[in-house]
Amino acid sequence: MKTKSTSKKLSLARRLAATYLIVNRKKRQRSVLTILKNKTFEDFITNAKNAFPLALAKKVVDQKPEETYNPFILCGADGTGKTHLLETVAAEFAKKTKKIIFQSAVRFCTENTYILQKHDIFWKKYDVLILDDIQELVNNTSCQQQLATCIDACLRLPPDKNPQMVFACAGSVNEIKKLEERLCSRLERGLVVELMKPDMEVRLRYIQTLCKQHEITLGREQRLFLARRCAGFRLLYGLILKIKAFIAVYDKTPAAADMENIIRSGGVNIPENYHAIMEKVSQAFNVLPEDIVHGKRRPDVVMARQTAMYICRRRLKLSYEEIGRVFGGKDHSTVIYAVNKIKQLLISNESMHNMITQLEQVAL
């Protein structure tokens, strides 16, 4: 015979399960397996720069019960692949258990208020909690308190029964410090890693992968053009889709002018590499970077400015108008003159040729 207390627990468990079904179905969120079934760690393109976060993500999925990486927090700016890696972690966990929740942090806290009041039963019901965008909780004190309490309840469980918590935060590790002290301290006691922006090598490999997936043929110069102009995975993905649409409409591979138009319509910002170019050129000519930008007419400053313009044009593939904006709003005709002058000097002046060859490497 069931006692009144047992009946209450069973009723609560049923309501808990029903609540999760509501999250999955009535809220139109497909199951983790349906959305992410093809995600694997092998698909995450990286090199030594982000090898450590990738290795830790794999370790978290494969860890033994007595090991502790809880909570695991993955940070990264837009375009670093943070969401892709988080989804891969969810997909790998989903292969092991169906007792998993994968939501945005705000949605989890606001839609599961009842669950969060019964942590003991919640953590018996679920093995894995994966929350994205915890930085969005910054101005929501109530949600932060709920999540902190939820983390505490998880960490109080015996090591061999400890569920796994995985959170993602958009931005650097410092974004976590903007959360309230109670939640921040719970997160910082876990394993916090940050994904760095993909470098040129990784971006090129990513472009090649996308071209293969979408059956697009782009030449080496076109792939370099995209990789130089886009610092993040998300923008690159969107541009590949635009190129695919262009090919479908015009039945041809986009020419250089077409690629430039696609770039401009894709919301692509001027690559940050130009800062490095400006710095290196200013050192080579022994002038200040701000003098290069702000129009001083000393001969050495003018030569440094023209050199930097030439390198930005050649290595970053910026348009004359974009270079003009970078250099304090110069007219495009000024940029054209500068680029042509440096081209002539490269032919007639060997020392200038050697200097610029070395400076060009900073944009790679």
Side-chain angles (χ1 to χ4, degrees), residues 61-246:
V61 173
D62 296 331
Q63 67 183 306
K64 299 175 182 178
E66 62 272 16
E67 295 175 328
T68 175
Y69 299 98
N70 221 359
F72 175 57
I73 300 97
L74 183 64
C75 301
D78 289 341
T80 57
K82 171 184 61 65
T83 299
H84 182 119
L85 188 54
L86 185 70
E87 290 175 346
T88 302
V89 169
E92 293 296 326
F93 272 122
K95 294 174 183 177
K96 300 181 177 184
T97 177
K98 294 183 180 179
K99 298 163 66 176
I100 176 174
I101 288 183
F102 180 25
Q103 288 184 301
S104 71
V106 170
R107 184 172 181 179
F108 172 73
C109 292
T110 56
E111 293 184 358
N112 301 294
T113 305
Y114 179 77
I115 299 177
L116 290 173
Q117 294 172 355
K118 304 294 180 181
H119 300 103
D120 53 340
I121 295 181
F122 173 74
W123 286 120
K124 288 180 182 179
K125 188 69 180 175
Y126 297 107
D127 296 327
V128 183
L129 174 63
I130 302 177
L131 300 181
D132 198 4
D133 292 323
I134 60 172
Q135 79 284 346
E136 292 183 356
L137 298 177
V138 166
N139 296 318
N140 194 322
T141 301
S142 175
C143 285
Q144 290 189 57
Q145 294 298 325
Q146 289 177 13
L147 185 55
T149 303
C150 184
I151 293 173
D152 285 340
C154 178
L155 297 177
R156 284 196 299 266
L157 295 172
D160 61 335
K161 297 182 179 179
N162 214 358
Q164 179 64 52
M165 297 176 289
V166 180
F167 306 137
C169 177
S172 69
V173 172
N174 291 329
E175 291 298 313
I176 295 175
K177 298 184 182 299
K178 296 179 182 179
L179 297 166
E180 293 187 5
E181 176 60 29
R182 185 185 176 199
L183 178 57
C184 179
S185 65
R186 269 63 174 181
L187 297 176
E188 289 184 329
R189 65 159 286 172
L191 185 62
V192 185
V193 294
E194 182 175 348
L195 286 170
M196 300 295 105
K197 289 186 177 181
D199 57 22
M200 176 68 76
E201 175 201 349
V202 172
R203 297 199 297 271
L204 280 171
R205 286 165 53 196
Y206 182 66
I207 292 168
Q208 290 171 332
T209 299
L210 290 179
C211 287
K212 184 176 180 180
Q213 290 175 353
H214 294 279
E215 299 180 342
I216 295 173
T217 300
L218 292 179
R220 181 177 180 276
E221 285 301 317
Q222 290 174 312
R223 296 196 301 272
L224 282 171
F225 176 78
L226 291 175
R228 286 167 178 155
R229 297 294 294 275
C230 302
F233 290 130
R234 193 170 298 166
L235 273 177
L236 284 172
Y237 185 81
L239 289 172
I240 289 295
L241 292 183
K242 288 180 183 292
I243 291 171
K244 183 178 181 179
F246 179 95

Side-chain angles (χ1 to χ4, degrees), residues 270-271 274-275 278 292-294 309 312 316 318-330:
I270 296 172
Y274 82 87
H275 290 298
M278 206 84 72
I292 295 177
V293 174
H294 295 299
M309 286 179 173
C312 284
L316 302 185
L318 297 177
S319 68
Y320 295 120
E321 290 81 3
E322 288 171 327
I323 295 172
R325 291 199 298 272
V326 168
F327 287 83
K330 301 291 189 298

